[in-house]
Amino acid sequence: QVQLVESGGGLVQAGGSLRLSCAASGRAFSNYAMAWFRQAPGKEREFVAAISRSGTGTYYADSVKGRFTISRDNAKRMVYLQMNSLKPEDTAVYYCAARILGSSDYENLVRYNYWGQGTQVTVSS
């Protein structure tokens, strides 16, 4: 079992930055690949970024590539999402997710076993 708690969301102007954090509890955090998804009002939940168990592999949605950076600290059981050059279309609830199996298809949310409660990010124009 893994429990995930996100933090760091808030209101920011377009062009600004935010850093989201996801704290994981439970054993063997380093056995889980981690990801961030987001869901805007009236839209489906979509993939944002993922990171492999060791942290050596990172994957991004085209919409955030070059602006967002995912990282992890296995010793602290933390995952981060640094978001720069934010746009109004980045407004959404951001969710942290963990998966125990597999090393591909990172953008598919059904592959993930555990989810956090989400943190709201609002980007004003």
Side-chain angles (χ1 to χ4, degrees):
Q1 275 282 30
V2 174
Q3 290 79 45
L4 304 172
V5 179
E6 303 94 335
S7 62
L11 174 64
V12 64
Q13 288 189 330
S17 298
L18 280 176
R19 188 195 195 203
L20 304 185
S21 299
C22 173
S25 60
R27 293 186 291 181
F29 173 70
S30 60
N31 287 348
Y32 293 84
M34 303 295 297
W36 289 93
F37 287 77
R38 68 186 181 186
Q39 188 166 18
K43 295 189 176 181
E44 294 185 350
R45 194 169 297 190
E46 65 174 6
F47 171 75
V48 175
I51 189 165
S52 63
R53 292 163 182 78
S54 65
T56 56
T58 56
Y59 312 86
Y60 297 94
D62 288 343
S63 59
V64 306
K65 205 170 293 183
R67 300 188 298 123
F68 291 10
T69 302
I70 188 171
S71 61
R72 67 188 295 163
D73 185 332
N74 284 346
K76 295 182 178 179
R77 297 179 179 178
M78 296 291 296
V79 179
Y80 306 100
L81 185 68
Q82 178 66 43
M83 305 186 295
N84 299 329
S85 302
L86 283 161
K87 305 175 181 180
E89 51 263 43
D90 294 318
T91 295
V93 177
Y94 283 70
Y95 297 91
C96 179
R99 58 182 280 184
I100 187 66
L101 296 174
S103 58
S104 62
D105 200 21
Y106 282 105
E107 68 277 10
N108 192 342
L109 60 85
V110 302
R111 302 294 188 191
Y112 292 83
N113 310 99
Y114 304 102
W115 293 83
Q117 83 291 346
T119 185
Q120 176 71 48
V121 171
T122 302
V123 184
S124 64
S125 57

